[in-house]
Amino acid sequence: MTDTRAYHHGDLRRALLAAALEAVGEVGPAALSLRDLARRAGVSHAAPAHHFGDKAGLLTALAAQGFDLLAQALTEADDDLLEAGVAYVDFAVTHRAYFEVMFRPELYRADDAELIAARGRAGAALRSGVAALSGGGAPADTDRDSLAAWSIAHGFATLWLAGALPDRVGDNPREAARAVLRRLST
Amino acid sequence: MTDTRAYHHGDLRRALLAAALEAVGEVGPAALSLRDLARRAGVSHAAPAHHFGDKAGLLTALAAQGFDLLAQALTEADDDLLEAGVAYVDFAVTHRAYFEVMFRPELYRADDAELIAARGRAGAALRSGVAALSGGGAPADTDRDSLAAWSIAHGFATLWLAGALPDRVGDNPREAARAVLRRLST
DNA sequence: CGTGAAACTTGCCAGTGACAAGATTGCGCG
DNA sequence: CGCGCAATCTTGTCACTGGCAAGTTTCACG
């Protein structure tokens, strides 16, 4: 598994990000320990600092990766707004660790160039789905509609992840999300 | 301000919660330091443990307080679903520290009895607003509608707090929320 | 081959949460 | 009135964390 050569790990940056993803899934993004990541990767406790500077740097890289994955997921369901919303919720549940980092900007460098670019790609994918549906409406309407669509999908995803939803919604996030999101497009 | 008598502070529990609220507003719920709270209250570093057990215990108390405040805010706008949604967003922005703790169950004891009761009161206030509006519809519709209303309000609030919304939404959360929430009740 | 930079290590410091044991205080009960 | 006991708070300690500094190993490139 860990093909660790002594010194010059070779792919430490990627290994640390993978370990971080795993650790975030286990203990949440706030309780992440750089020293734990170093142990998982089989390197010394100060090695992560060399690649990411500090904890915020590492989480910045993770968030940027996450936004790119989200953009990709949204693009694939681009033609259908409802399906894009379902894809959004599905992403949050399936890639929970990414999602939890992405929307906790106090944990990373929100002004990082790469992150901003990735976030922009995800936002564009979202907006293009709304624009396709609302057709030739005024831009202001598209703005408001995409905000509403984003809000309801994001809200449902967040509540789902927080375990705040009542039991009766079931255990299938895609299905439950579809029922709720449909309320918007009537 | 801090009317500290030596030993037997008299109101340490309340003082610590107030300090915690302030600290969470400054550094977020995850970076909260019990020792810092103790310093703010003018007591020793181990005093908080006596009242709350550990950090999770303190955040549990804070979350329970928050859910009660939210229930109160929602009840006051009970007759109008749109206004209840606006009140929800307004609560999140105005009582940001509470809100941020309430929906991070990994930081506190989600099985605490007092917390569950408070959360139940908030949920009931939310559902009663939806039921009042949807009139005599089937219960399943009310369920789905309240989920949708909760999702869109919660999503907008969360995105607002995360600073994820584009600049063009302006700086007035109530107004911006109203425009978005209206999309649901057409 | 050899030199300078990149990658990684070791060692350290201040800060944190949790626990244990002791000091102080006030309250109920005789 | 006073005495014992429990609640409250303190002091001391331990393992752990993030970040910094300085040293060591390896690689890339001339």
Side-chain angles (χ1 to χ4, degrees):
Chain A
M1 188 75 76
T2 52
D3 182 10
T4 311
R5 297 161 196 81
Y7 257 98
H8 282 229
H9 180 287
D11 210 7
L12 182 56
R13 189 189 156 92
R14 192 187 311 268
L16 287 172
L17 284 175
L21 200 62
E22 203 178 284
V24 169
E26 291 169 14
V27 299
L32 191 72
S33 155
L34 290 182
R35 289 169 112 99
D36 178 51
L37 298 187
R39 279 188 294 262
R40 290 180 195 233
V43 294
S44 80
H45 69 262
H50 187 71
H51 288 275
F52 299 101
D54 56 3
K55 187 144 83 166
L58 189 143
L59 290 176
T60 304
L62 212 61
Q65 259 189 17
F67 277 114
D68 264 335
L69 286 174
L70 175 61
Q72 189 181 331
L74 289 180
T75 306
E76 283 168 8
D78 210 348
D79 43 348
D80 188 340
L81 177 58
L82 179 61
E83 287 311 309
V86 173
Y88 190 97
V89 174
D90 188 62
F91 174 87
V93 175
T94 310
H95 301 87
R96 174 176 194 142
Y98 279 120
F99 192 81
E100 285 184 331
V101 173
M102 288 157 63
F103 293 98
R104 254 189 207 50
E106 76 273 14
L107 295 181
Y108 59 80
R109 311 228 139 76
D111 59 345
D112 178 80
E114 233 179 299
L115 179 120
I116 290 174
R119 193 174 49 192
R121 285 190 283 277
L126 184 76
R127 271 180 59 81
S128 86
V130 177
L133 187 102
S134 76
D141 286 354
T142 301
D143 281 1
R144 203 195 45 197
D145 287 357
S146 65
L147 229 60
W150 189 14
S151 293
I152 196 168
H154 187 80
F156 187 84
T158 304
L159 291 171
W160 181 283
L161 291 183
L165 296 177
D167 292 339
R168 88 184 97 84
V169 300
D171 57 355
N172 184 335
R174 293 184 66 94
E175 192 183 313
R178 206 183 309 267
V180 166
L181 295 173
R182 228 192 293 274
R183 256 316 262 109
L184 196 65
S185 38
T186 47
Chain B
M1 188 75 77
T2 51
D3 182 10
T4 312
R5 297 161 195 81
Y7 257 98
H8 282 227
H9 180 288
D11 210 8
L12 182 56
R13 189 188 155 91
R14 193 186 310 268
L16 286 172
L17 284 175
L21 199 62
E22 204 177 283
V24 169
E26 291 169 15
V27 299
L32 190 72
S33 156
L34 289 182
R35 289 169 114 99
D36 178 51
L37 298 187
R39 279 188 295 264
R40 290 182 195 232
V43 293
S44 80
H45 67 262
H50 187 70
H51 288 276
F52 299 101
D54 57 3
K55 188 145 85 165
L58 189 144
L59 290 176
T60 304
L62 213 61
Q65 260 190 16
F67 276 114
D68 264 334
L69 287 175
L70 176 60
Q72 190 181 331
L74 289 180
T75 306
E76 282 168 9
D78 210 347
D79 45 347
D80 188 340
L81 178 58
L82 179 61
E83 287 311 309
V86 173
Y88 190 97
V89 174
D90 188 62
F91 174 87
V93 174
T94 310
H95 301 87
R96 175 177 193 140
Y98 278 120
F99 193 82
E100 285 184 331
V101 174
M102 288 158 62
F103 293 98
R104 254 186 206 46
E106 77 274 15
L107 295 181
Y108 59 79
R109 313 227 137 77
D111 58 347
D112 179 81
E114 234 180 297
L115 179 121
I116 290 175
R119 193 175 48 192
R121 285 190 284 277
L126 184 75
R127 270 179 60 82
S128 87
V130 176
L133 187 103
S134 76
D141 286 353
T142 301
D143 280 1
R144 204 195 43 197
D145 287 357
S146 64
L147 230 60
W150 188 13
S151 292
I152 196 168
H154 187 81
F156 187 85
T158 303
L159 291 172
W160 181 283
L161 291 183
L165 295 176
D167 292 339
R168 86 184 99 86
V169 301
D171 56 356
N172 184 336
R174 293 184 65 94
E175 193 184 313
R178 207 183 309 268
V180 167
L181 295 173
R182 228 193 294 272
R183 253 324 257 107
L184 197 64
S185 39
T186 47

